[in-house]
Amino acid sequence: METEPSYLVESRNRCKAAGLDPAKFPVPAHVLSHSQLIRQQIKYGEILSVARFFSDRILSLLNNTPLVILITDDAGYILEIYGDESMKMMMVQTGITIGIQMNEKDMGTNVISLSLQERKPIEIIGDGHYHHFLHDSACYGVPFSFSDINGLAGTVAIMTSVQFQSPFPLSLLSNMVDSMEREILLRRKNRTQHLLTHIMLNTLRSGIIITDKFGSITEFNQFAEQITCYEKKDVLCQSVFSLEPIGQYLFEVLRQGEKFEDVELTITNGSGQKFILLFDALPIYDDHHELMGAYAQFRDITDRCELEKQVIVSEKYSAIGKMAAGFAHEIRNPLTSIMGFMQLLMERARKTQQEIPYADIMYLELQRVNKLVTDFVLMAKPSVPDRKLCIAQNVLTETVQLMESQTILNGITLDTDFHTEPLPLFIDPIQMKQVFINVIQNAIEAIGSRRGRIVVSLKQDPHTQCAVIQIHDNGSGMTEDEIKHIVNPFFTTKEDGLGLGLSVSYRIIENHKGKISVSSEKGVGTLFTIQLPIHHASDC
Ligand code: ADP
Ligand code: MG
């Protein structure tokens, strides 16, 4: 007979010395309360779930052998018992159950406390146990300590009947512990990978949509949710083909294996927001070149497109600017001389009471050309405002007086409402009058022969400390599309219009750090609002 390991002999001696009665069932002195047990089971959750997986395999491998597998923590508390139900029942009757601590002092010689103490696999067969009731049992215990898994330690033990004793259970358990550690690490790695993918997908400033080979959506990231206004949970497993206009591209991808790159798409989502997207779509193949699904990604380039548009506009301005500078030089000087001579001629003709045919018309036409040139230059290269301290009421009154003859001629009522204390402005009065004239002139033209009304009002905005000038007419009004274009140079809806008046005015207001805005309704009328900062003595 093999000699018994000394730790076994010593353990039994300790039990004897402690006065344990080998003929009686031991009474566990340390038992976890329900909540303590739950807490510990949660802490060992991953180990327990992996242990269950491997225990099931051992149990099915040894399905003719009645056995139980116990998992304990590092203090020997039993956290789980898997296996044969009748054996579990029997163990409960002897006091061995989930939640108790298998320490030597109370429970006698056992594989759990000994393998924790000796830090190695231990087997105790039959009367190797101290207690008589265990002399029919063969027990095997293997400690574990997973340094990579938060240093969690404990034991895995097998208990079976002595007639089934063999060298296998111990090596099975040792293998199980190794496999458990590997499995847990693998699961953690997978989880980290999963988390990483999740973070990457959902922090990306690109929309990602993935489908299976039938076009059913399997991935829909947060950015895609934002752009489309669809929620992931609502579109998962739904067909991508109904998702306009992305769907039709993915249809081609899945049908023909086609690839799309840098397609510019415009979509309007459920909330009515319009986006311009740069879109790619391609098929996904597995290792055997079988089509698995489709992948689509898109970036929001709405802002970029907007910027491009602005650049184009400003390029247009600067091109016009260069042209205008040359234009003004070449035309203005001869024009001034022609107009001067023309005036001279007219003066002389009047004195001699002669008549120069069409002289008035010619002079008017020359004035028109002169205005065109001046406007052109002003718009393209607005001169720096020659600012003076002016009273808003005065500038407005002078402008209104200037326009009155025209309004009377057209049967238009021109009313003013300047009932506020005098508002000082630091402005170029000539340029500012030009703005008011342009806007009032437009109002007159918008009313046409309809006998309408124009109201020019001045107020002080208490919040922004600005003078607010409003010019309201009940003329033709504008469509939304027209409103969008009125600032563009040369935009006009008039047969003989130049389309420069408002672009010049906007420029002038901008140079004065003011604001100009418009609201209008086709067939109803138009309201222009101009805000100019009020000058304070301390501003000087
Ligand atoms: P123009 O008067 O030479 O056409 P503007 O730049 O002054 O050029 O105006 C551009 C266009 O804006 C006009 O042709 C007209 O269509 C529109 N518009 C401006 N003001 C009004 C207004 N008060 N009512 C209706 N349409 C207007
Ligand atoms: Mg005009």
Side-chain angles (χ1 to χ4, degrees):
M1 190 184 153
E2 276 180 54
T3 48
E4 275 192 314
S6 55
Y7 53 78
L8 204 54
V9 181
E10 283 161 16
S11 165
R12 284 198 305 266
N13 287 342
R14 282 195 296 271
C15 293
K16 199 171 177 182
L20 275 181
D21 183 350
K24 279 193 186 153
F25 288 135
V27 182
H30 298 274
V31 184
L32 295 176
S33 72
H34 183 66
S35 60
Q36 283 172 328
L37 176 66
I38 301 278
R39 220 175 301 137
Q40 203 65 346
Q41 281 176 333
I42 289 172
K43 186 172 161 195
Y44 279 74
E46 203 164 25
I47 289 174
L48 291 177
S49 102
V50 175
R52 164 172 283 274
F53 174 77
F54 287 108
S55 299
D56 285 347
R57 276 170 63 173
I58 291 178
L59 290 167
S60 72
L61 210 69
L62 306 174
N63 67 343
N64 292 324
T65 318
L67 61 83
V68 288
I69 298 174
L70 300 91
I71 318 291
T72 78
D73 66 9
D74 55 352
Y77 282 100
I78 301 174
L79 301 179
E80 251 343 323
I81 303 177
Y82 306 118
D84 190 90
E85 286 304 320
S86 54
M87 265 198 81
K88 273 201 234 173
M89 289 295 290
M90 196 199 75
M91 281 169 61
V92 171
Q93 280 162 12
T94 62
I96 300 173
T97 182
I98 293 179
I100 68 154
Q101 188 186 32
M102 289 298 287
N103 61 358
E104 186 185 88
K105 199 166 131 288
D106 307 313
M107 304 304 289
T109 302
N110 70 80
V111 287
I112 291 169
S113 65
L114 270 181
S115 64
L116 281 173
Q117 175 193 312
E118 296 296 316
R119 294 167 193 263
K120 63 180 186 192
I122 303 273
E123 62 178 2
I124 307 177
I125 312 294
D127 52 14
H129 292 102
Y130 178 73
H131 282 101
H132 296 166
F133 83 100
L134 285 171
H135 286 181
D136 289 337
S137 306
C139 297
Y140 309 85
V142 173
F144 62 79
S145 171
F146 298 145
S147 53
D148 280 346
I149 305 160
N150 306 338
L152 281 182
T155 67
V156 198
I158 285 182
M159 189 176 177
T160 183
S161 168
V162 76
Q163 74 219 54
F164 294 105
Q165 66 159 299
S166 83
F168 296 128
L170 214 52
S171 55
L172 267 178
L173 282 183
S174 297
N175 278 341
M176 175 170 158
V177 167
D178 286 347
S179 309
M180 274 167 63
E181 187 166 19
R182 265 201 310 277
E183 176 68 19
I184 292 173
L185 283 178
L186 204 69
R187 282 188 187 194
R188 292 210 164 173
K189 215 161 118 190
N190 274 348
R191 242 194 340 256
T192 316
Q193 208 115 44
H194 192 76
L195 196 72
L196 215 67
T197 317
H198 181 81
I199 292 172
M200 264 168 54
L201 270 179
N202 290 316
T203 53
L204 222 55
R205 300 283 305 147
S206 288
I208 306 273
I209 301 176
I210 300 174
T211 76
D212 66 11
K213 63 178 173 183
F214 305 109
S216 170
I217 297 172
T218 55
E219 183 56 67
F220 199 83
N221 77 343
Q222 274 173 17
F223 196 76
E225 285 185 326
Q226 272 173 35
I227 294 282
T228 59
C229 270
Y230 289 121
E231 280 186 43
K232 180 175 176 173
K233 66 175 172 38
D234 296 331
V235 294
L236 275 191
C237 301
Q238 301 293 318
S239 167
V240 79
F241 304 139
S242 53
L243 210 69
E244 279 300 327
I246 291 167
Q248 71 203 53
Y249 288 91
L250 291 181
F251 183 73
E252 294 305 321
V253 169
L254 290 173
R255 199 177 59 132
Q256 322 230 40
E258 235 181 289
K259 275 187 192 172
F260 294 94
E261 261 174 34
D262 294 339
V263 182
E264 222 177 279
L265 292 182
T266 305
I267 76 161
T268 307
N269 68 17
S271 317
Q273 285 170 293
K274 204 166 140 187
F275 290 101
I276 304 171
L277 307 176
L278 202 61
F279 173 83
D280 301 324
L282 39 107
I284 310 171
Y285 296 104
D286 67 9
D287 294 345
H288 309 290
H289 306 287
E290 283 276 334
L291 182 72
M292 275 174 70
Y295 170 88
Q297 63 173 20
F298 46 88
R299 279 181 297 134
D300 176 10
I301 55 161
T302 318
D303 289 348
R304 205 182 80 193
C305 290
E306 211 47 52
L307 204 69
E308 271 170 12
K309 258 196 235 157
Q310 274 170 21
V311 170
I312 291 171
V313 169
S314 80
E315 273 172 2
K316 199 156 84 181
Y317 268 114
S318 87
I320 294 168
K322 281 187 198 131
M323 206 172 93
F327 196 63
H329 230 75
E330 297 304 321
I331 294 183
R332 225 188 205 168
N333 295 343
L335 194 66
T336 318
S337 345
I338 293 173
M339 284 177 79
F341 288 129
M342 191 72 197
Q343 261 177 322
L344 216 64
L345 276 179
M346 283 161 76
E347 192 74 8
R348 200 178 288 169
R350 215 181 45 238
K351 274 188 189 152
T352 56
Q353 293 193 331
Q354 277 181 309
E355 193 181 321
I356 308 175
Y358 309 119
D360 289 348
I361 300 176
M362 276 165 76
Y363 192 72
L364 272 177
E365 290 298 304
L366 280 175
Q367 270 183 327
R368 219 167 98 82
V369 176
N370 192 29
K371 182 167 166 14
L372 169 64
V373 174
T374 316
D375 276 0
F376 221 26
V377 176
L378 204 59
M379 177 210 54
K381 255 174 68 186
S383 52
V384 181
D386 182 11
R387 294 179 178 230
K388 295 182 180 60
L389 192 60
C390 306
I391 300 299
Q393 279 88 336
N394 298 350
V395 180
L396 280 169
T397 309
E398 282 164 32
T399 314
V400 167
Q401 278 166 359
L402 216 65
M403 304 304 288
E404 239 158 15
S405 55
Q406 238 195 101
T407 49
I408 294 168
L409 212 67
N410 286 279
I412 296 169
T413 322
L414 178 56
D415 287 332
T416 56
D417 174 7
F418 303 156
H419 299 296
T420 165
E421 60 184 88
L423 300 178
L425 304 175
F426 195 58
I427 52 168
D428 181 332
I430 298 179
Q431 287 192 1
M432 204 48 72
K433 273 185 201 167
Q434 183 65 54
V435 173
F436 300 143
I437 291 172
N438 285 344
V439 178
I440 297 173
Q441 182 70 39
N442 280 341
I444 294 173
E445 286 163 1
I447 293 170
S449 53
R450 272 188 294 263
R451 294 187 170 275
R453 180 171 184 232
I454 299 170
V455 183
V456 182
S457 70
L458 172 70
K459 274 184 308 217
Q460 179 177 356
D461 186 326
H463 303 295
T464 57
Q465 284 299 305
C466 273
V468 183
I469 298 130
Q470 292 195 304
I471 295 143
H472 185 253
D473 71 67
N474 58 356
S476 60
M478 287 177 265
T479 61
E480 266 182 43
D481 202 44
E482 281 169 351
I483 294 177
K484 267 191 223 154
H485 291 107
I486 52 172
V487 208
N488 291 347
F490 306 117
F491 172 79
T492 179
T493 54
K494 298 166 196 166
E495 236 167 60
D496 58 347
L498 290 174
L500 288 175
L502 285 181
S503 36
V504 169
S505 306
Y506 273 69
R507 276 279 171 122
I508 293 176
I509 298 295
E510 222 172 72
N511 282 346
H512 279 81
K513 307 226 169 342
K515 277 189 201 145
I516 174 164
S517 61
V518 61
S519 66
S520 184
E521 195 179 333
K522 193 78 188 163
V524 178
T526 303
L527 174 70
F528 273 91
T529 304
I530 295 166
Q531 282 174 282
L532 292 169
I534 290 174
H535 183 77
H536 299 284
S538 57
D539 291 351
C540 298

